[in-house]
Amino acid sequence: QVRLVESGGGLVQAGGSLRLSCVASGRTNSRYHIGWFRQGPGKEREFVAAIRMPGRYEYYADAVKGRFTITRDSAKDTVYLQMNSLKPDDTAVYYCAEDAGAILSSLRNPANYDYWGQGVQVTVSS
């Protein structure tokens, strides 16, 4: 059973930056995806970014490309989401999740992820 714990959310002004962390434990396989998703008020959960392991291939939603960066620290088994040039539209609860099946064609679909963190609130004021 994989456990994911997020941290790093908060309140920031538009144009500012935040870094989210997702610490994993209990994993036994080496091929998986770690994704970041977000759910804004009254909206469906949407894909933000993902990293595919092994190989550390990165994938981004068009809305965040060029502003957000996903990275992984292998020693700490932690995935980070560096968010720069934040906009009010980025306000949401952010979740990290793991897809143990690692099917590339479904990397952006939250329904294919097996394990989820508790979520952290990110609020961007204008």
Side-chain angles (χ1 to χ4, degrees):
Q1 182 81 7
V2 176
R3 183 168 181 256
L4 303 170
V5 179
E6 303 107 328
S7 61
L11 172 65
V12 65
Q13 288 188 332
S17 299
L18 282 174
R19 189 179 77 160
L20 305 183
S21 301
C22 174
V23 180
S25 61
R27 183 185 302 115
T28 59
N29 59 322
S30 60
R31 184 178 297 276
Y32 55 92
H33 299 146
I34 292 286
W36 285 98
F37 295 83
R38 66 186 182 186
Q39 189 163 14
K43 298 181 180 179
E44 294 187 352
R45 193 166 298 188
E46 65 175 358
F47 171 78
V48 175
I51 191 164
R52 176 175 170 83
M53 299 298 293
R56 302 193 183 194
Y57 300 103
E58 301 169 22
Y59 304 85
Y60 297 95
D62 289 343
V64 307
K65 200 172 294 183
R67 299 189 297 124
F68 291 11
T69 303
I70 187 170
T71 57
R72 182 178 182 268
D73 183 329
S74 300
K76 298 179 180 180
D77 207 353
T78 300
V79 173
Y80 301 98
L81 184 68
Q82 178 67 44
M83 306 185 295
N84 298 329
S85 301
L86 283 161
K87 306 174 181 179
D89 283 349
D90 295 319
T91 295
V93 177
Y94 283 71
Y95 301 89
C96 70
E98 180 164 325
D99 172 10
I103 300 173
L104 183 57
S105 61
S106 59
L107 178 141
R108 298 169 186 263
N109 187 346
N112 288 286
Y113 283 72
D114 306 288
Y115 306 103
W116 290 83
Q118 80 283 3
V120 291
Q121 177 69 47
V122 172
T123 303
V124 184
S125 63
S126 57

